[in-house]
């Protein structure tokens, strides 16, 4: 039987004064104790190797001056506690609040921070095997499940229009990437990125997978009345990224397809969760994007224009 969460927290030598599970994140509990704020996270579908790799990687990033969420060691010097079939990790809260309001300035800084993260991760050597990020396979598996639904057929039509070349993606240099670089995991303070959280599911992939994932998450979260800002906000993020590290022409050609693949994943997820209208609206937005010459061209900046 799993012990109460209060007892689990005590493995880290913290006597909790208050605990509250986050409504939108049932695997995360906010803990106050010792005059500080912490987060206890239940790591589903994880392993001891994953949790150790998270410790190694985040310690590596901190050594290079990045402010990232890193697991605290227990009294047994482990970055996790296993109770029953569950694995828990414990983190001290970083200063800042999630990126909720998009602006040219905040998105430019988010792009810069990701480029810095990638440059440091490029040299990181993992201690354990890290899974690859097979984006297209996940989309096609979802599409096969929904082939009898109109949303599945629409998705297939969108996929057929994409200038997607999976072999080129696989041939791009792979490295460790965050794989969950989204606005909710980017902390802001004073209009600047103050830290990055949630390195639970690091993957091996071309760096543009992180870029495409962020942009898709940003685009699907833009309110309808602000959809006309989509292109300029993509541009702001890309300029921020390339002010620190330039992308190759091959990577830029791939990005519209990568963004589209992630948006398709969101549409299918909403549909399977019972939000069919939201999924359909997401597909409408995807179709508008891929028909837009601006969407295809926004990634094709020359270096001189960024300087």
């Amino acid at each position: 039987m799993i012990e109460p969460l209060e007892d689990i927290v005590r493995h880290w030598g913290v006597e909790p004064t208050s605990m509250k599970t986050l409504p939108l994140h049932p695997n995360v509990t906010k803990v106050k104790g010792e005059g500080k704020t912490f987060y206890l996270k239940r790591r589903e579908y994880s392993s001891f190797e994953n949790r150790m790799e998270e410790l190694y990687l985040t310690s590596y990033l901190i050594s290079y001056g990045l402010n990232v969420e890193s697991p605290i060691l227990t009294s047994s010097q482990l970055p996790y506690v296993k109770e029953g079939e569950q694995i828990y990790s414990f983190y001290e809260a970083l200063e800042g609040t999630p990126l909720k309001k998009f602006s040219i300035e905040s998105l430019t800084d988010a792009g810069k921070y990701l480029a810095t993260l990638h440059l440091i991760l490029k040299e990181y050597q993992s201690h354990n095997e890290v899974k690859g990020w097979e984006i297209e396979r996940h989309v096609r598996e979802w599409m096969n499940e929904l082939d009898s639904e109109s949303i599945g057929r629409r998705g297939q039509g969108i996929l057929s229009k994409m200038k997607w070349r999976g072999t080129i993606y696989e041939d791009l240099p792979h490295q460790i990437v965050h794989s969950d670089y989204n606005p909710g995991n980017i902390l802001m303070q004073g209009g600047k990125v103050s830290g990055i959280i949630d390195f639970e599911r690091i993957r091996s992939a071309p760096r543009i997978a992180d870029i495409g994932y962020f942009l898709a998450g940003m685009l699907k979260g833009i309110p309808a009345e602000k959809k006309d800002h989509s292109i300029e906000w993509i541009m702001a993020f890309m300029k921020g990224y390339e002010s620190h590290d330039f992308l190759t022409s091959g990577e830029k050609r791939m990005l519209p397809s990568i963004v589209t693949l992630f948006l398709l994943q969101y549409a299918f997820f909403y549909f399977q969760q019972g939000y069919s209208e939201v999924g359909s609206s997401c597909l409408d937005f995807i179709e508008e994007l891929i028909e837009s010459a601006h969407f295809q061209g926004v990634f094709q900046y020359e270096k001189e224009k960024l300087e």
Side-chain angles (χ1 to χ4, degrees), residues 2-64:
I2 298 176
E3 297 177 26
L5 295 182
E6 291 88 347
D7 290 340
I8 294 174
V9 168
R10 293 188 181 101
H11 284 276
W12 283 276
V14 174
E15 188 63 38
T17 56
S18 72
M19 301 183 69
K20 182 180 180 181
T21 299
L22 304 187
L24 297 179
H25 303 280
N27 290 338
V28 180
T29 300
K30 187 175 184 178
V31 179
K32 291 192 175 181
E34 314 297 328
K36 299 178 180 180
T37 300
F38 304 90
Y39 288 99
L40 178 69
K41 300 187 179 184
R42 186 172 75 246
R43 296 308 198 182
E44 294 187 313
Y45 315 114
S46 188
S47 67
F48 306 143
E49 290 80 10
N50 293 151
R51 302 284 51 85
M52 292 304 299
E53 195 63 53
E54 179 189 22
L55 174 66
Y56 298 141
L57 181 137
T58 53
S59 299
Y60 175 83
L61 294 174
I62 290 170
S63 74
Y64 276 87

Side-chain angles (χ1 to χ4, degrees), residues 52-71 116-127 175-176 199 202:
M52 292 304 299
E53 195 63 53
E54 179 189 22
L55 174 66
Y56 298 141
L57 181 137
T58 53
S59 299
Y60 175 83
L61 294 174
I62 290 170
S63 74
Y64 276 87
L66 287 190
N67 190 29
V68 300
E69 183 183 62
S70 186
T116 301
L117 178 66
H118 282 166
L119 284 169
I120 297 173
L121 286 177
K122 187 176 180 180
E123 305 302 323
Y124 177 73
Q125 298 295 319
S126 61
H127 296 68
Q175 66 171 75
I176 300 298
F199 286 80
I202 58 170

